[in-house]
Amino acid sequence: KTTKQPVNRVVKVGAKDKVVTEKLPFTTRYEADNTKEKGIQTVVSTGKEGTKTTVTKYTVNPTTGAVTESVQKPTVVSAQDKVIKVGTKDKVDPKVIPSPKKYVKDETREYGQPNITVNGTPGVEKITTKYTVNPKTGAITETKGKPEITQPTDTVIKVAAKTKVEVKKTLPKIEIRENKEMVKGKEKIVQQGKPRVLKETTEYVVNPKTGEITQVKRTDVVEAGQPTIKEVGTRDPKDIYKDKVT
């Protein structure tokens, strides 16, 4: 009689490694670009998703068939940020300050001659606006600086306004006086006249804002002068003869 040996029954238990891969989203980062005008965006990196891979291994007990799992340390490939540069170039707003006009009296040239203009330099008022970028949202915040002022210089307009001086002489008056002791028909100068001398001064006052000229005249007596006094005889010649006979 033949005896059959027992044969082991083999039971296969599924124990294939479990691989789970998760996607890691990339973030968007905004950076300031001070070479471009405000708000202009340029994508310098498109971004790339990362991954997190977790492997679970299974061990089967050959006697009981019990399965034991072992989760391995995840393998992480980091995501790459999407980078967008945002224009933040400073904005400078210049404002021209006109050169103020100033009229001055020119004592070297006669009144009535054309004005001479010496141009000044305009000034400038500058306000600089700076921009900052929120790295998470791309929002732009502006900050205005204090005005920087370069003062203008005056434009000088020289107005011909030389003071005018005129000397005028008036011929002396002649006064006639009767001389009862002098024979009629005779006359003599008893006082030589002198002319009256006047100095007329015209000053020109220049309005420094408008250039308008106002004349101020003044008359001074340099010499008062004196009249010429002439005596004229009024005595009858016959009266002189009678006096001699008598």
Side-chain angles (χ1 to χ4, degrees):
K1 187 177 180 178
T2 303
T3 304
K4 292 183 178 180
Q5 294 295 324
V7 177
N8 291 334
R9 187 176 63 169
V10 177
V11 180
K12 291 186 176 182
V13 178
K16 183 180 179 180
D17 291 351
K18 179 183 177 182
V19 178
V20 177
T21 301
E22 301 174 57
K23 289 184 178 181
L24 301 177
F26 60 79
T27 58
T28 300
R29 186 175 77 251
Y30 295 89
E31 296 180 352
D33 183 353
N34 59 13
T35 65
K36 291 184 173 61
E37 300 296 330
K38 172 193 172 185
I40 296 178
Q41 294 190 356
T42 305
V43 178
V44 295
S45 176
T46 57
K48 186 177 180 181
E49 292 179 332
T51 57
K52 178 182 178 183
T53 303
T54 304
V55 177
T56 303
K57 291 183 176 292
Y58 300 94
T59 304
V60 179
N61 187 310
T63 303
T64 64
V67 178
T68 303
E69 67 177 29
S70 174
V71 179
Q72 306 300 302
K73 183 178 179 181
T75 301
V76 177
V77 177
S78 299
Q80 296 178 7
D81 289 348
K82 180 179 181 178
V83 179
I84 300 176
K85 288 202 170 186
V86 182
T88 57
K89 185 177 181 179
D90 291 353
K91 180 184 177 184
V92 180
D93 292 317
K95 179 182 177 183
V96 176
I97 304 173
S99 169
K101 291 182 179 179
K102 181 181 179 181
Y103 294 86
V104 297
K105 181 177 181 178
D106 185 352
E107 275 281 11
T108 65
R109 296 184 302 123
E110 301 290 341
Y111 168 74
Q113 294 185 24
N115 293 343
I116 295 176
T117 301
V118 180
N119 291 319
T121 304
V124 179
E125 179 182 349
K126 290 195 304 183
I127 297 177
T128 301
T129 303
K130 293 183 176 294
Y131 303 99
T132 55
V133 176
N134 185 310
K136 294 182 179 180
T137 65
I140 297 175
T141 303
E142 67 176 41
T143 304
K144 288 193 174 184
K146 293 182 179 180
E148 298 176 30
I149 299 176
T150 302
Q151 295 293 347
T153 58
D154 291 343
T155 291
V156 179
I157 302 173
K158 297 181 179 181
V159 181
K162 183 178 181 179
T163 301
K164 181 180 178 181
V165 178
E166 292 181 289
V167 176
K168 294 184 177 180
K169 292 184 179 182
T170 304
L171 293 177
K173 294 181 179 180
I174 299 176
E175 291 185 10
I176 305 296
R177 295 181 183 177
E178 293 182 352
N179 187 336
K180 296 180 179 179
E181 299 300 323
M182 187 183 299
V183 177
K184 188 185 293 185
K186 289 188 176 183
E187 59 182 37
K188 67 177 179 178
I189 302 297
V190 296
Q191 177 177 288
Q192 189 64 47
K194 293 181 180 179
R196 177 181 173 86
V197 181
L198 301 177
K199 183 174 74 172
E200 292 184 355
T201 303
T202 303
E203 291 189 45
Y204 302 96
V205 180
V206 177
N207 186 312
K209 294 183 179 180
T210 65
E212 182 181 357
I213 297 176
T214 303
Q215 296 186 16
V216 179
K217 292 188 176 184
R218 184 181 72 252
T219 301
D220 298 309
V221 177
V222 179
E223 294 181 18
Q226 64 182 22
T228 296
I229 301 176
K230 183 167 62 173
E231 290 186 350
V232 178
T234 59
R235 187 174 183 183
D236 192 324
K238 293 180 181 180
D239 293 337
I240 296 175
Y241 178 74
K242 288 180 181 179
D243 290 341
K244 287 182 179 182
V245 172
T246 306

PDB file of all heavy atoms in Angstrom, residues 67 101 142 199 238:
ATOM      1  N   VAL A  67      -0.949  40.502   6.579  1.00  0.00           N
ATOM      2  CA  VAL A  67      -0.226  41.528   5.801  1.00  0.00           C
ATOM      3  C   VAL A  67       0.067  42.725   6.705  1.00  0.00           C
ATOM      4  O   VAL A  67      -0.821  43.244   7.385  1.00  0.00           O
ATOM      5  CB  VAL A  67      -1.048  41.984   4.588  1.00  0.00           C
ATOM      6  CG1 VAL A  67      -0.311  43.077   3.833  1.00  0.00           C
ATOM      7  CG2 VAL A  67      -1.343  40.799   3.665  1.00  0.00           C
ATOM      8  N   LYS A 101       9.962 138.477 -13.859  1.00  0.00           N
ATOM      9  CA  LYS A 101      10.499 139.685 -14.485  1.00  0.00           C
ATOM     10  C   LYS A 101      10.722 140.767 -13.428  1.00  0.00           C
ATOM     11  O   LYS A 101       9.901 140.970 -12.545  1.00  0.00           O
ATOM     12  CB  LYS A 101       9.546 140.204 -15.554  1.00  0.00           C
ATOM     13  CG  LYS A 101       9.448 139.310 -16.780  1.00  0.00           C
ATOM     14  CD  LYS A 101       8.519 139.923 -17.826  1.00  0.00           C
ATOM     15  CE  LYS A 101       8.432 139.040 -19.064  1.00  0.00           C
ATOM     16  NZ  LYS A 101       7.518 139.620 -20.087  1.00  0.00           N
ATOM     17  N   GLU A 142       1.863 103.395  -4.204  1.00  0.00           N
ATOM     18  CA  GLU A 142       2.729 104.518  -4.583  1.00  0.00           C
ATOM     19  C   GLU A 142       2.958 105.443  -3.400  1.00  0.00           C
ATOM     20  O   GLU A 142       2.107 105.608  -2.528  1.00  0.00           O
ATOM     21  CB  GLU A 142       2.137 105.301  -5.760  1.00  0.00           C
ATOM     22  CG  GLU A 142       0.860 106.044  -5.477  1.00  0.00           C
ATOM     23  CD  GLU A 142       0.394 106.876  -6.671  1.00  0.00           C
ATOM     24  OE1 GLU A 142       0.484 106.401  -7.824  1.00  0.00           O
ATOM     25  OE2 GLU A 142      -0.065 108.011  -6.432  1.00  0.00           O
ATOM     26  N   LYS A 199      17.624 175.411 -12.732  1.00  0.00           N
ATOM     27  CA  LYS A 199      17.993 174.035 -13.069  1.00  0.00           C
ATOM     28  C   LYS A 199      16.737 173.174 -12.957  1.00  0.00           C
ATOM     29  O   LYS A 199      16.172 173.020 -11.870  1.00  0.00           O
ATOM     30  CB  LYS A 199      19.081 173.504 -12.124  1.00  0.00           C
ATOM     31  CG  LYS A 199      19.545 172.094 -12.492  1.00  0.00           C
ATOM     32  CD  LYS A 199      20.716 171.627 -11.647  1.00  0.00           C
ATOM     33  CE  LYS A 199      20.274 171.278 -10.256  1.00  0.00           C
ATOM     34  NZ  LYS A 199      21.357 170.643  -9.460  1.00  0.00           N
ATOM     35  N   LYS A 238      15.579 223.810 -20.720  1.00  0.00           N
ATOM     36  CA  LYS A 238      15.364 225.222 -20.418  1.00  0.00           C
ATOM     37  C   LYS A 238      15.510 225.501 -18.948  1.00  0.00           C
ATOM     38  O   LYS A 238      15.980 226.558 -18.544  1.00  0.00           O
ATOM     39  CB  LYS A 238      13.979 225.652 -20.890  1.00  0.00           C
ATOM     40  CG  LYS A 238      13.831 225.621 -22.408  1.00  0.00           C
ATOM     41  CD  LYS A 238      12.427 226.061 -22.802  1.00  0.00           C
ATOM     42  CE  LYS A 238      12.237 226.006 -24.321  1.00  0.00           C
ATOM     43  NZ  LYS A 238      10.871 226.434 -24.714  1.00  0.00           N
TER      44      LYS A 238
END
